[in-house]
Amino acid sequence: MIKLDLKRDTPIYEQIVEQVKFHVVKGNIKPGMAIPSVRKLALELNITPGTVAKAYQELERQGIVETIRGKGVYIAGESDRKPDLAKVEAAKKSLEPGLLELKVMGFSEDEVTEVIRELYGKLC
Amino acid sequence: MIKVDNISKSYYDKVAIDGISLTVVPGQIQGLVGDNGAGKTTLIKCMAGIYKPEKGRIIFSGVGRDTTNEKSMIVDKGSNVATLTRADEKVTNVSAGKHAVEQEGIFNNPSLKEKIGYVSDNNEYIGRYTIKKMLKLYETYFPSFDKDKFEKLNQEFKLELSGKIDSLSKGQKMRLGFMLEVAKKPEYLLLDEPTSGLDPVAKKTFLERLVEEVEKENIGVLISSHNLSDLEKLCDTITILDGGKVRSESGLDELKESLTKLQVVFENGLDEKLLSREAVLSFSKVGNVYTLIIEDYDSKKEKWLKDLGAGYMEELDMSLEELYIALETRKGER
């Protein structure tokens, strides 16, 4: 389910967070479904259990997963996902350079919106 | 918790372990590494109650299963279910605390041996017995022995129950030892080089079953191995033994963070004599590209490298194996 790219600058735990989110958004894993336990995923990916635990803590903090002690780790319901203002700001910032590029090339607001629609459509 | 407090043990005039302290915590996996002769097996045998240490104590506090432990890998959560569980556990803990069975000394203490599973690096069972007969023996000795659990494990480890123990290979004896000791439903497992002799498929099965026991039954594990890449994906903490003493005990991630592996280009070459002065544990080079392992790397050391003429610098990922070898090399130089 999760593939690591050790050559990327993104820390490993963030790559796990990213990919779990990606699968959740894509609907590959649905609310209520179990994901591998901390230790199982560590074995599978050949990384320390601490790294996986850190990723799962972050996912839990954002309300993407929930841990039920003694049972396992599950994808949380959509209503549990907490909007995080800092994350929204960071996401906006990461869009800026691309938008700037498009504007320089003469894209209108409508054309830019169309690009965003197309990208969004790929996630659903 | 198993608390080893300052124990020593010698064979004739040779000191095997010398003042070792460590703790094994429920729900955690602790790795034990060290050179041949560093004292790993002696330590484990003392903890398993096979040897009696000459000095020091080993205290076993049986607080039962499902105890909370602060360092647990399991992430606590805020929902109702977890709050309930946590409240329950607190109650259990308080009551367990009052009646905590604190026992000292595992040597000659059969009731404790039931709670501590031990798989030796050299499993010698009664050779002329069949596995079936060995199972009977375990059932007689250990009331907690769960035959169904053994059979479930054996669906994966696949030993012929009517076979004689003498006819088993080293790896098969290791599988048998692991299954017997886990089916005892112990609170702790002490494993001495359990992966040596296992074929790749059996090793994978072994690692998966082991983490399952830790996560589901909250058992505490001490595991020694020379296979550092196995320990890396398994352990929460690593204890390094050296000449019968504990050289370092720390969380695996902290241990890894204490050293930094850098790839540095010195375009105008480098006077290598300068490197050993600071905390450069080891280096290798290809042309002008140096790979350095540096202890406690910080901005001061970065500046020092730049002053030496470092151009392009990149931090590389380091495995436990590289880390261990770097620490060993430093020891040799001192």
Side-chain angles (χ1 to χ4, degrees), chain B residues 212-241:
Chain B
E212 198 175 293
E213 286 303 311
V214 173
E215 285 188 322
K216 286 200 174 141
E217 310 293 339
N218 202 36
I219 59 173
V221 176
L222 181 70
I223 175 172
S224 82
S225 180
H226 290 297
N227 191 329
L228 300 182
S229 66
D230 282 345
L231 292 185
E232 191 164 7
K233 53 192 176 185
L234 208 57
C235 296
D236 304 297
T237 49
I238 294 277
T239 299
I240 302 178
L241 291 190

Side-chain angles (χ1 to χ4, degrees), chain A residues 37-40 42-43 46-51 53 57 60 66-67 69, chain B residues 27 29 68 73-75 77 207 211 214-215 232-236 252-253:
Chain A
S37 68
V38 168
R39 291 188 188 278
K40 281 232 172 84
L43 277 189
N46 278 321
I47 53 177
T48 66
T51 307
Q57 267 161 21
E60 180 138 22
E66 54 185 342
T67 304
R69 280 203 68 165
Chain B
I29 304 180
T68 19
M73 305 279 319
I74 301 159
V75 188
K77 57 166 244 150
L207 293 173
V211 302
V214 173
E215 285 188 322
E232 191 164 7
K233 53 192 176 185
L234 208 57
C235 296
D236 304 297
L252 188 47
D253 289 313

Side-chain angles (χ1 to χ4, degrees), chain B residues 172-188:
Chain B
Q172 286 171 325
K173 277 184 191 162
M174 187 58 84
R175 298 182 200 198
L176 176 64
F178 179 70
M179 289 192 286
L180 286 171
E181 293 300 305
V182 167
K184 234 163 78 173
K185 295 188 165 170
E187 290 180 26
Y188 297 91

Side-chain angles (χ1 to χ4, degrees), chain B residues 13-118:
Chain B
D13 56 346
K14 163 116 179 46
V15 180
I17 54 174
D18 183 10
I20 287 186
S21 300
L22 63 84
T23 49
V24 181
V25 181
Q28 298 266 308
I29 304 180
Q30 179 159 42
L32 195 58
V33 301
D35 293 354
N36 297 326
K40 302 183 297 291
T41 297
T42 306
L43 169 64
I44 292 179
K45 282 190 169 166
C46 286
M47 293 174 74
I50 290 170
Y51 292 155
K52 193 175 181 182
E54 288 131 17
K55 271 189 258 166
R57 333 178 274 171
I58 300 172
I59 298 162
F60 175 94
S61 11
V63 285
R65 291 178 194 285
D66 307 322
T67 53
T68 19
N69 75 78
E70 287 162 357
K71 279 197 250 161
S72 170
M73 305 279 319
I74 301 159
V75 188
D76 278 335
K77 57 166 244 150
S79 91
N80 290 337
V81 187
T83 326
L84 268 178
T85 332
R86 259 156 66 185
D88 279 352
E89 278 163 352
K90 266 183 202 146
V91 175
T92 334
N93 247 2
V94 172
S95 57
K98 272 181 196 157
H99 310 286
V101 220
E102 201 166 273
Q103 297 196 53
E104 203 176 312
I106 288 145
F107 188 76
N108 264 345
N109 194 341
S111 69
L112 266 188
K113 287 186 181 173
E114 185 172 18
K115 296 191 172 114
I116 298 174
Y118 164 61

